[in-house]
Amino acid sequence: MARARHQADAAVAALPEGYAGTGAFSIHLTADGPPYVATSLLLSGDADGAAAATGRVLCTAAPGPSRARALLILALAEAGRGRADEAAAAGTAALTGVPPAWATMALARRLDQVLADSFAGAGEVSSYRALYRDEVQRASTPSLPPGGPDGR
């Protein structure tokens, strides 16, 4: 991972000055360098590093799906650190106030599994799991047209 991060840093440094990547191939640079540093740290087992990197990302993340995903990465890192209540609180913040996108719900499902497997009886865990189930139910329930089932 260290080698890949170094290569990514070099590739980002080689971009033209003022690069404003937009669209499907855009990148969002943070103080931590290239994207996915926190995710990579989490996947490599460095929950402390992932929590620290995600905390720095959250300092500048605007509300919306990207912030929700960052909060869920933080939640998974906190769970990896054995901090169930902090994990549940970050997960709850991620699912509150923003209609969750597919990627957000995939991370939310993973957090739900981790919390159920490792912290089923912890304080805030049941609240997060109930909110997660509500979001899944809301996403799977077709919405009615304005005015009722017949559209009037």
Side-chain angles (χ1 to χ4, degrees), residues 28-107:
H28 175 71
L29 297 178
T30 67
D32 286 309
Y36 304 112
V37 169
T39 305
S40 298
L41 290 168
L42 183 63
L43 292 172
S44 68
D46 185 357
D48 291 331
T54 306
R56 289 187 295 273
V57 168
L58 286 168
C59 288
T60 59
S66 294
R67 182 175 183 79
R69 286 189 296 275
L71 282 164
L72 286 161
I73 295 295
L74 176 61
L76 288 165
E78 292 295 1
R81 298 166 83 186
R83 300 174 62 180
D85 286 344
E86 290 82 353
T92 298
L95 295 181
T96 304
V98 175
W102 176 87
T104 303
M105 290 307 292
L107 284 169

Side-chain angles (χ1 to χ4, degrees), residues 2-3 55 85 152:
R3 183 174 57 240
D85 286 344
R152 287 189 235 161

Side-chain angles (χ1 to χ4, degrees), residues 72 76 79 105-120 125 128-129 132-133:
L72 286 161
L76 288 165
M105 290 307 292
L107 284 169
R109 180 178 55 250
R110 177 68 184 130
L111 178 61
D112 184 62
Q113 292 167 345
V114 168
L115 293 175
D117 291 347
S118 301
F119 306 103
V125 169
Y128 169 78
R129 297 197 70 222
Y132 169 73
R133 285 189 302 271

